[in-house]
Amino acid sequence: MLIIPVKEGENIDRALKRYKRKFDRTKTMKNLRNRKNFTKPSVAKRAQRIKASYVQKLRTQEEVG
């Protein structure tokens, strides 16, 4: 449970922005989505490798020109 103390005279928009930032940092939604559907470790590793090769390809293209 996230608790955001609202200071006296503080704008509610600013407090809401702090809440959203804190919520994103806790990675709550990411954990919920990961728990919702199970991916096998081998599939996760394969996806990670594919992503790494794609990023590497982009970086080499950027270096070349």
Side-chain angles (χ1 to χ4, degrees), residues 9-60:
E10 184 180 17
N11 190 357
I12 191 70
D13 292 329
R14 188 170 176 90
L16 186 61
K17 189 174 184 178
R18 280 195 346 222
Y19 171 77
K20 287 180 181 179
R21 194 177 323 132
K22 193 171 188 180
F23 184 78
D24 286 340
R25 286 183 185 155
T26 58
K27 299 179 184 175
T28 306
M29 288 304 292
K30 188 174 183 179
N31 289 336
L32 283 174
R33 288 184 181 129
N34 285 342
R35 289 179 185 170
K36 193 173 182 179
N37 56 346
F38 179 76
T39 55
K40 293 182 357 182
S42 61
V43 174
K45 286 179 189 175
R46 188 179 323 130
Q48 190 177 16
R49 258 190 243 122
I50 290 170
K51 183 179 176 183
S53 67
Y54 174 73
V55 170
Q56 185 66 34
K57 185 176 81 171
L58 287 178
R59 288 188 179 154
T60 55

